């Protein structure tokens, strides 16, 4: 230890000193040359001279009471240096207020006068008021220096000099008084707790969290070497000499008490030469060490053992409770690892500080030790303290035995309370409850109003597996686990009514999602109620103006309930699209909360049209299938399949016809036709053929049914639009021949022949070939038709021959005119111009067409006759058009395919020179 500097503060001895914590200033009390006490304030940061060590004296005040001088016995200074209290031997307390670091702006006042010596002073601060503790030999009292110096007696028993001190905290301080029987603590309200410590105490001082007491006692070897007396020891270079274990030497004893943990950390005496005890003159706590000054002018230094050493000692002695308490009260320990790390970064503290992880290790060791002693209840209490730091599986494995299941339950429950449990822990805890059949604790764990700290889905699953369905349902309702609620009601409890009611109360989106899994079962068990739920989903509009669901998504749910599926689709068509099957013109009811969509609206989306088409097609399929269609056929071998009564099937056939004829039913006509053919629904087939304008198919349908009357009716109705119907019916009747039904078996055949003859639909040769297919059709039956056709052909031939002769004469005449123009002269006798009608004058232009013009009248157009040119151009354009068509084979082929008289078409194209290789010259 080295002296940094020293200076003379007072002329005579110094009695009291106080170094300020937050300022490097020193307050000292000593005597001047005349023995008068003087209070001085020193600024240790400033020196009177650069070469001198004496600090600057900021204030010096003499302490006197009247004309007499009394020694100072107690001193108290506030940390902000606004008040200083000085106690005198005659029982007077002087209070100095103001800035005591200066001589100005201060005021001294006697706030207490008594007959007993003042033995201790101390300030109580709480930020609002300041109270001075005053201890005399006979009393303990307080003086409120912030409220007119009001005094209050706390107790009529005082304390000795040097046995009074203030607790070390910065606010809400208490005064500590050491008496022979105990150490007492006093607050503003009076005497508080006390520590029973016997012995004549001569001095008290705080050292860290220890209370150091100097007393005159006979050292007992057994007491000194108690279990914890060696927790604070001297440094190896210290001069501390411990008394031999066998020797009881009287003298001054230093004892360190840990009042919070209630153990003696150190007890010993300091021997001089010849092993004589030396009285302790002073005890100082500085630089983390305890310094002891004895009467033989020696200073001893006591250093506290490091925490690792302390803990090792306690571990060896299995004193884990004390180790926990000791570590918890160590200033370096903090409540969590994160706080510890932040403290190290902020203060730069060494790595030897201990965080909560060290404390957890103690709890773990303590728990293991108790577990080894089969004290399982106590062991689990220690393991509970390690939650959040120790791996839970370490503890869980120890208590998996069935006899320790209640301990495991306590640990798992604590895990959940701290929100550190995972799904496996929840499963294990609930299994513990079910094994113990502890319904009460299970209720407390699950049916609680507090914040849930476990995985809800896991809890539901375990409760369901254990048969605690009420608890599982409670969780599903509280946490809106809709899927789990339905799963329990449907799969476990079979409460289909409750499931349907719950489903009806869900939002549309959640209800649709639930129907994908449970809809089939619910529709099978509760078809009426579920039909209402599905109708509500498909008809009630949302905020967007359309329904929440598409009905085709639910059709598969009725696989075993065909009759209910029909009812669902019928009501759906009526409420959503105004399609009323068998309504006889009644207006459909409007869906609740909105207006039904109509097919005539232009705003109907493609998706809506497709949905309506699907519903209508499905309903038609069910009507025609009578419970044995494609949807119902999926479950034909299912025992739960319910057959449809015959009366219902007949009614459905009637409804199928009504559905097909309904103008609002937007079904797929091709699909409907396929269904009608599959189920041999004749009236529907004919209606659809008519809508699709398939006249030949209509005729064929009647032919297949041998409905001769409707065959003729069909030809009459659609023969103008499709004349081929008559030729088709001719072939039909020709095959039937004389086997036709009715009173006049030949009447239908003759009617067809007459119509074909009038409309000239077939050449006679083809008619004869068709009739020749049946030997029962004789010439006599068609004699009149053949005679008419032969005479008509003769007339046509005669007319054609006359035209041929006229065309030949005209052609011959044209050739003779060309020959004359090429070989003989032409005489022009015209005397007037064809344009101006004036007599011709030279120069004159003559054309072979015998028209003459003045050259001036023609101008530049002297190449052709103005009067004949338009006719010539028209003929030339016609010829060019025919020549261009000659190269367009596709036009010719299309006309050839579409005409019934192909020979006539070819003859026509030959007459127009379409096949000639000679082209008109430009």
């Amino acid at each position: 230890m080295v002296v940094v500097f020293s200076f003379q503060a007072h002329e005579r001895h110094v009695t009291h000193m106080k170094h300020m914590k937050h300022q490097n200033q020193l307050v000292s009390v000593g005597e001047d040359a005349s023995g008068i006490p003087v209070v001085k304030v020193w600024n240790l940061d400033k020196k009177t001279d650069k070469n001198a060590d004496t600090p600057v004296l900021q204030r010096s005040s003499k302490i006197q009471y009247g004309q007499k001088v009394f020694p100072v016995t107690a001193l108290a200074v506030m940390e902000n240096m606004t008040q200083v209290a000085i106690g005198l031997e005659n029982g007077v307390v002087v209070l100095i207020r103001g800035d005591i670091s200066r001589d100005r702006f201060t005021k001294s006042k006697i706030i207490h006068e008594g007959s007993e010596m003042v033995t201790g002073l101390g300030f109580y601060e709480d930020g609002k008021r300041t109270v001075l503790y005053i201890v005399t030999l006979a009393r303990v009292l307080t003086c409120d220096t912030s409220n007119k110096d009001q005094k209050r007696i706390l107790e009529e028993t005082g304390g000795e000099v040097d046995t009074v001190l203030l607790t070390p905290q910065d606010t809400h301080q208490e005064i500590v008084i050491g008496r022979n029987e105990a150490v007492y603590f006093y607050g503003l309200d009076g005497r508080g707790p006390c520590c029973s410590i016997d012995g004549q105490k001569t001095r008290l001082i705080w050292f860290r969290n220890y209370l150091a007491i100097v007393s005159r006692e006979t050292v007992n070897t057994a007491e000194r070497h108690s279990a914890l007396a060696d927790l604070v020891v001297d440094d190896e270079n210290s001069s501390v000499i411990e008394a031999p274990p066998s020797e009881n030497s009287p003298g001054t004893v230093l004892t360190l008490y840990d009042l919070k943990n209630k153990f003696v950390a150190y007890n010993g005496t300091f021997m001089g030469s010849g092993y004589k005890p030396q009285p302790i003159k002073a005890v100082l706590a500085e630089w983390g060490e305890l310094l002891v000054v004895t009467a033989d002018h020696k200073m001893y230094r006591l250093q506290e053992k490091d925490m690792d050493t302390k803990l090792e000692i306690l571990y060896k002695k299995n004193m884990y409770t004390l180790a926990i308490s000791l570590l918890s009260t160590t200033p370096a320990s903090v409540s969590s690892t994160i706080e510890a790390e932040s403290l190290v970064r902020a203060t730069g503290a060494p790595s030897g500080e201990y965080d909560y992880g060290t404390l957890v290790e103690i709890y773990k060791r303590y728990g293991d030790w108790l577990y080894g002693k089969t004290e399982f209840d106590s062991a689990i209490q220690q393991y509970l303290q390690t939650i959040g730091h120790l791996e839970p599986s370490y503890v869980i494995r120890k208590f998996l035995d069935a006899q320790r299941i209640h301990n495991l339950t306590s640990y798992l429950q604590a895990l959940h309370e701290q929100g550190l449990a995972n799904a496996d822990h929840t499963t294990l805890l609930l299994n513990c409850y079910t094994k113990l059949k502890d319904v009460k604790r299970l209720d407390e764990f699950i049916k609680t109003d507090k914040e849930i700290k476990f995985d809800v889905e896991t809890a539901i699953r375990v409760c369901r597996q254990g048969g605690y369905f009420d608890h599982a349902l409670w969780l599903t309702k509280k946490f809106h686990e809709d899927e789990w609620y339905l799963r329990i009601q449907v799969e476990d409890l079979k409460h289909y009514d409750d499931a349907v009611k719950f489903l009806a109360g869900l939002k549309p989106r959640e209800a649709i999602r639930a129907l994908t899994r449970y809809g089939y079962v619910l529709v099978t068990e509760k078809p009426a109620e579920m039909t209402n739920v599905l109708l509500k989903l498909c008809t009630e509009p949302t905020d967007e103006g359309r329904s929440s669901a598409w009905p085709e998504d639910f059709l598969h749910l009725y696989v075993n309930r065909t009759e209910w599926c029909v009812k669902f689709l019928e009501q759906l068509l009526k409420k959503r699209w105004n399609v009323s099957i068998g309504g006889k013109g009644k207006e459909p009811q409007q869906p609740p909360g909105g207006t039904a969509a109509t097919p005539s609206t232009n705003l109907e989306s493609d998706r809506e049209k497709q949905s309506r088409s699907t519903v209508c097609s499905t309903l038609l399929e069910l009507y025609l299938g009578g419970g044995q269609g494609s949807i119902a056929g999926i479950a034909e071998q299912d025992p739960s399949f319910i057959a449809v009564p015959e009366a219902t099937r007949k009614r459905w056939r009637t409804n199928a016809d009504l559905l097909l004829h309904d103008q609002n039913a937007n079904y797929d006509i091709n699909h409907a036709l396929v269904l009608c053919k599959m189920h041999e629904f004749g009236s529907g087939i004919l209606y659809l053929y008519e809508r699709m304008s398939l006249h030949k198919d209509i005729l064929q349908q009647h032919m297949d049914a041998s409905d001769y009357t409707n065959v003729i009716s069909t030809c009459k109705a659609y023969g103008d639009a499709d004349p081929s119907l008559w030729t088709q019916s001719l072939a039909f009747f020709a095959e039937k021949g004389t086997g036709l039904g009715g009173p006049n078996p030949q009447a239908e055949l003759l009617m067809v022949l007459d119509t074909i003859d009038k409309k000239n639909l077939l050449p006679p040769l083809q008619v004869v070939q068709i009739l020749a297919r049946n030997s029962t059709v004789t010439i006599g039956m068609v004699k009149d038709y053949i005679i008419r056709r032969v005479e008509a052909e003769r007339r046509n031939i005669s007319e054609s021959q006359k035209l041929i002769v006229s065309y030949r004469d005209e052609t011959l005449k044209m050739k003779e005119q060309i020959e004359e123009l090429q070989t003989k002269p032409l005489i022009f006798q015209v005397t007037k111009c064809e344009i101006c009608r004036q007599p011709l004058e030279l120069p004159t232009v003559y054309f072979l067409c015998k028209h003459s013009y003045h050259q001036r009248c023609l101008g530049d157009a002297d190449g052709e006759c103005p009067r004949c040119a338009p006719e010539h151009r028209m003929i030339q354009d016609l010829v060019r058009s025919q020549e261009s068509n000659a190269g367009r084979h596709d036009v010719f082929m299309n006309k050839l395919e579409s005409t019934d008289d192909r020979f006539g078409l070819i003859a026509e194209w030959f007459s127009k020179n379409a096949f000639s290789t000679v082209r008109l010259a430009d």
Side-chain angles (χ1 to χ4, degrees):
M1 186 176 294
V2 179
V3 177
V4 177
F5 71 92
S6 63
F7 66 94
Q8 184 175 355
H10 297 270
E11 297 178 2
R12 300 177 66 176
H13 64 275
V14 178
T15 58
H16 298 80
M17 286 191 302
K18 171 71 174 179
H19 184 263
M20 312 312 297
K21 292 181 180 179
H22 307 298
Q23 305 177 54
N24 193 17
Q25 292 182 328
L26 178 68
V27 179
S28 64
V29 178
E31 298 178 356
D32 59 6
S34 59
I36 299 175
V38 179
V39 177
K40 294 183 180 182
V41 180
W42 305 89
N43 189 341
L44 302 181
D45 290 333
K46 297 181 180 180
K47 307 295 182 180
T48 56
D49 189 355
K50 293 182 179 181
N51 298 323
D53 293 333
T54 304
V56 174
L57 177 64
Q58 293 181 316
R59 177 189 176 89
S60 178
S61 298
K62 293 183 179 181
I63 305 300
Q64 287 183 313
Y65 179 69
Q67 300 298 324
K68 296 182 180 181
V69 177
F70 297 95
V72 175
T73 57
L75 173 68
V77 184
M78 289 183 63
E79 285 298 327
N80 58 10
M81 300 184 70
T82 57
Q83 294 185 28
V84 175
I86 300 172
L88 303 180
E89 188 179 37
N90 62 344
V92 173
V93 177
V94 180
L95 180 66
I96 303 175
R97 290 188 178 94
D99 189 356
I100 64 173
S101 62
R102 302 179 182 180
D103 287 334
R104 298 176 297 173
F105 310 115
T106 59
K107 181 188 292 186
S108 298
K109 181 181 178 181
I110 297 175
I111 60 174
H112 174 71
E113 292 181 307
S115 58
E116 306 90 6
M117 180 177 64
V118 178
T119 58
L121 296 172
F123 282 103
Y124 168 91
E125 302 177 57
D126 61 2
K128 295 181 180 180
R129 62 174 179 164
T130 303
V131 180
L132 177 66
Y133 292 106
I134 302 174
V135 181
T136 66
L137 292 174
R139 287 186 296 174
V140 179
L141 63 155
T142 60
C143 179
D144 192 341
T145 60
S146 59
N147 186 16
K148 299 180 181 180
D149 299 332
Q150 294 182 359
K151 291 187 291 184
R152 175 172 174 250
I153 297 176
L154 300 181
E155 192 174 41
E156 292 293 344
T157 304
E160 297 292 337
V161 178
D162 292 336
T163 61
V164 179
L165 78 162
L166 206 64
T167 53
Q169 62 263 30
D170 293 333
T171 58
H172 300 83
Q173 298 90 340
E174 294 180 339
I175 198 76
V176 182
I177 301 176
R179 301 192 182 108
N180 293 340
E181 69 279 6
V183 175
Y184 297 92
F185 290 77
Y186 292 86
L188 299 183
D189 297 329
R191 189 169 73 179
C194 67
C195 298
S196 179
I197 301 175
D198 294 335
Q200 184 181 359
K201 302 167 184 64
T202 61
R203 188 178 300 275
L204 302 181
I205 187 173
W206 290 109
F207 172 60
R208 294 185 177 178
N209 55 327
Y210 303 106
L211 177 62
I213 299 178
V214 178
S215 59
R216 290 188 176 89
E217 285 274 337
T218 299
V219 180
N220 189 295
T221 304
E223 292 180 356
R224 184 181 180 280
H225 287 279
S226 62
L228 299 173
D230 52 357
L231 285 182
V232 179
V233 299
D234 58 305
D235 186 77
E236 59 182 4
N237 296 324
S238 174
S239 300
V240 175
I241 302 174
E242 299 180 356
S246 60
E247 181 179 355
N248 293 328
S249 302
T252 301
V253 180
L254 175 65
T255 308
L256 272 70
Y257 296 93
D258 189 329
L259 300 181
K260 185 173 183 179
N261 299 316
K262 298 180 181 179
F263 71 90
V264 177
Y266 176 77
N267 180 275
T269 58
F270 301 89
M271 301 297 178
S273 58
Y275 292 102
K276 293 181 179 181
Q278 293 294 321
I280 298 175
K281 303 294 292 183
V283 180
L284 306 174
E286 289 295 340
W287 309 299
E289 299 175 346
L290 193 64
L291 305 176
V292 182
V293 180
T294 58
D296 57 357
H297 305 292
K298 291 183 180 181
M299 179 179 290
Y300 299 85
R301 180 175 63 186
L302 292 161
Q303 291 182 333
E304 187 176 7
K305 290 182 178 180
D306 61 87
M307 184 59 68
D308 289 337
T309 304
K310 293 180 183 179
L311 293 178
E312 286 299 327
I313 295 173
L314 295 175
Y315 292 160
K316 292 177 181 179
K317 298 179 180 181
N318 296 322
M319 304 182 73
Y320 298 102
T321 304
L322 185 56
I324 293 169
S325 177
L326 181 64
L327 190 63
S328 301
T329 56
T330 301
S333 64
V334 289
S335 60
S336 67
T337 304
I338 297 176
E339 293 178 0
E341 293 175 354
S342 62
L343 182 65
V344 171
R345 289 194 299 267
T347 61
S351 59
E353 294 187 350
Y354 296 89
D355 55 22
Y356 193 74
T358 306
L359 193 59
V360 169
E361 178 63 22
I362 299 175
Y363 282 119
K364 175 181 172 296
R365 286 173 177 256
Y366 193 16
D368 293 343
W369 181 67
L370 292 172
Y371 184 87
K373 294 177 63 179
T374 67
E375 297 181 12
F376 303 117
D377 293 341
S378 300
I380 201 65
Q381 295 301 319
Q382 307 309 317
Y383 288 132
L384 290 178
Q385 305 298 325
T386 66
I387 293 177
H389 298 271
L390 181 64
E391 178 61 35
S393 60
Y394 177 84
V395 180
I396 292 173
R397 284 195 299 267
K398 289 179 175 291
F399 294 92
L400 286 177
D401 190 275
Q403 297 178 352
R404 305 167 196 166
I405 192 171
H406 63 282
N407 299 125
L408 179 60
T409 303
S410 300
Y411 181 80
L412 292 172
Q413 191 165 348
L415 269 180
H416 285 80
E417 289 175 356
Q418 298 189 28
L420 300 175
N422 56 29
D424 294 333
H425 298 150
T426 302
T427 302
L428 188 57
L429 176 59
L430 293 175
N431 285 329
C432 290
Y433 286 148
T434 55
K435 294 290 184 182
L436 294 172
K437 300 187 182 302
D438 194 345
V439 180
K440 181 179 179 181
R441 294 184 69 180
L442 184 61
D443 290 341
E444 293 175 355
F445 180 73
I446 292 180
K447 297 181 179 181
T448 176
D449 295 332
K450 300 179 181 179
E451 181 183 359
I452 296 297
K453 296 182 179 180
F454 56 82
D455 184 71
V456 176
E457 185 173 349
T458 302
I460 294 172
R461 185 176 62 254
V462 176
C463 289
R464 182 188 178 203
Q465 293 173 352
Y468 291 87
F469 300 115
D470 291 340
H471 297 78
L473 289 175
W474 189 90
L475 287 173
T476 59
K477 291 179 180 179
K478 181 175 182 180
F479 295 98
H480 306 289
E481 295 288 344
D482 302 335
E483 183 178 354
W484 278 103
Y485 179 87
L486 289 173
R487 185 180 299 180
I488 295 170
Q489 293 285 24
V490 175
E491 298 178 3
D492 299 325
L493 301 178
K494 311 296 183 183
H495 293 169
Y496 301 115
D497 289 330
D498 294 338
V500 173
K501 292 178 182 179
F502 180 80
L503 188 65
L506 292 178
K507 294 181 179 179
R509 182 174 298 178
E510 285 75 9
I512 294 171
R513 187 183 300 112
L515 284 170
T516 58
R517 181 164 186 170
Y518 306 105
Y520 168 73
V521 177
L522 293 176
V523 168
T524 302
E525 299 295 335
K526 296 293 178 181
E529 295 82 354
M530 282 302 299
T531 298
N532 293 331
V533 173
L534 295 176
L535 284 173
K536 180 180 177 181
L537 286 174
C538 296
T539 57
E540 288 190 358
T542 61
D543 297 337
E544 300 176 356
R546 63 176 181 84
S547 301
S548 305
W550 300 107
E552 58 269 24
D553 295 336
F554 306 132
L555 296 180
H556 65 282
L557 304 180
Y558 289 93
V559 67
N560 288 333
R561 291 289 184 174
T562 306
E563 193 169 357
W564 279 103
C565 186
V566 171
K567 293 180 181 180
F568 167 65
L569 295 178
E570 287 177 345
Q571 296 182 47
L572 178 66
L573 286 172
K574 182 177 180 180
K575 293 183 177 181
R576 183 162 178 165
W577 292 298
N578 287 347
V579 179
S580 181
I581 308 300
K584 296 182 180 180
K586 295 182 180 179
E587 287 293 330
Q589 296 180 356
Q590 302 296 331
T595 303
T598 60
S600 60
T601 176
N602 294 328
L603 300 178
E604 189 176 26
S605 64
D606 294 339
R607 183 70 173 86
E608 189 77 15
K609 292 179 182 178
Q610 181 183 357
S611 178
R612 181 151 57 106
S613 175
T614 303
V615 170
C616 292
S617 300
T618 304
L619 182 58
L620 179 62
E621 182 180 357
L622 294 173
Y623 279 156
L624 298 177
Q628 303 298 325
S630 60
I631 292 180
I634 300 175
E636 287 181 354
Q637 299 179 355
D638 194 334
S640 61
F641 177 74
I642 299 177
V644 180
E646 185 64 27
T648 302
R649 296 176 64 183
K650 291 180 179 180
R651 178 172 57 84
W652 285 359
R653 284 266 172 167
T654 304
N655 289 344
D657 197 35
L658 295 174
L659 177 61
L660 290 173
H661 286 78
D662 196 308
Q663 297 299 321
N664 291 338
N666 184 26
Y667 52 82
D668 185 349
I669 192 169
N670 294 314
H671 186 202
L673 181 58
V674 172
L675 291 175
C676 290
K677 287 185 176 181
M678 285 176 57
H679 300 287
E680 299 178 355
F681 187 47
S683 61
I685 294 173
L686 291 174
Y687 173 74
L688 294 174
Y689 279 160
E690 184 178 355
R691 283 191 59 182
M692 300 171 70
S693 299
L694 300 176
H695 305 143
K696 292 183 179 180
D697 293 317
I698 296 174
L699 183 62
Q700 187 63 43
Q701 181 74 10
H702 293 313
M703 290 177 179
D704 294 340
S706 298
D707 191 351
Y708 310 117
T709 303
N710 283 328
V711 170
I712 299 299
S713 300
T714 302
C715 291
K716 290 179 178 180
Y718 309 112
D720 294 338
D722 189 0
S724 63
L725 296 177
W726 291 103
T727 60
Q728 187 176 352
S729 63
L730 175 64
F732 170 72
F733 287 119
E735 291 179 0
K736 297 297 181 181
T738 57
L740 300 174
N744 189 4
Q746 301 178 8
E748 290 85 357
L749 177 60
L750 296 178
M751 181 185 296
V752 174
L753 283 174
D754 186 57
T755 304
I756 291 174
D757 183 28
K758 289 179 180 179
K759 296 185 177 183
N760 195 21
L761 300 178
L762 285 176
L765 182 60
Q766 291 186 7
V767 173
V768 173
Q769 290 175 347
I770 292 173
L771 295 176
R773 296 176 184 174
N774 194 333
S775 60
T776 59
V777 180
T778 63
I779 295 296
M781 295 174 59
V782 295
K783 180 178 66 174
D784 294 339
Y785 167 76
I786 295 175
I787 292 173
R788 288 195 306 269
R789 293 301 299 176
V790 170
E791 290 178 354
E793 290 294 331
R794 286 176 179 177
R795 287 194 298 269
N796 291 336
I797 292 172
S798 177
E799 291 175 1
S800 297
Q801 288 177 349
K802 290 179 181 179
L803 287 175
I804 292 171
V805 172
S806 64
Y807 289 155
R808 285 178 178 176
D809 292 342
E810 289 179 5
T811 303
L812 182 60
K813 186 178 179 180
M814 289 180 182
K815 288 182 178 180
E816 290 177 352
Q817 289 178 358
I818 294 172
E819 180 66 23
E820 290 179 357
L821 290 174
Q822 292 178 347
T823 59
K824 297 180 180 180
L826 185 61
I827 300 173
F828 295 94
Q829 296 178 350
V830 180
T831 61
K832 291 183 180 181
C833 177
E834 293 293 334
I835 294 177
C836 64
R837 306 306 296 173
Q838 296 296 324
L840 293 173
E841 296 178 357
L842 295 176
T844 303
V845 179
Y846 298 92
F847 292 96
L848 295 177
C849 60
K850 296 184 179 182
H851 293 143
S852 302
Y853 303 91
H854 292 117
Q855 188 175 12
R856 66 177 181 271
C857 292
L858 289 176
D860 296 334
D862 57 353
E864 57 183 352
C865 176
R867 180 167 291 186
C868 299
E871 183 179 356
H872 293 165
R873 289 196 189 98
M874 182 179 64
I875 295 172
Q876 290 175 355
D877 291 341
L878 182 60
V879 172
R880 288 191 180 94
S881 176
Q882 293 174 354
E883 291 177 352
S884 63
N885 287 336
R888 297 182 62 184
H889 304 295
D890 55 339
V891 175
F892 173 74
M893 295 302 296
N894 289 335
K895 289 185 177 182
L896 191 63
E897 297 254 347
S898 60
T899 185
D900 294 332
D901 188 6
R902 297 187 178 185
F903 182 80
L905 178 66
I906 295 173
E908 181 184 355
W909 278 62
F910 264 112
S911 67
K912 295 178 181 179
N913 202 30
F915 303 110
S916 176
T917 58
V918 181
R919 295 289 182 263
L920 182 67
D922 295 335

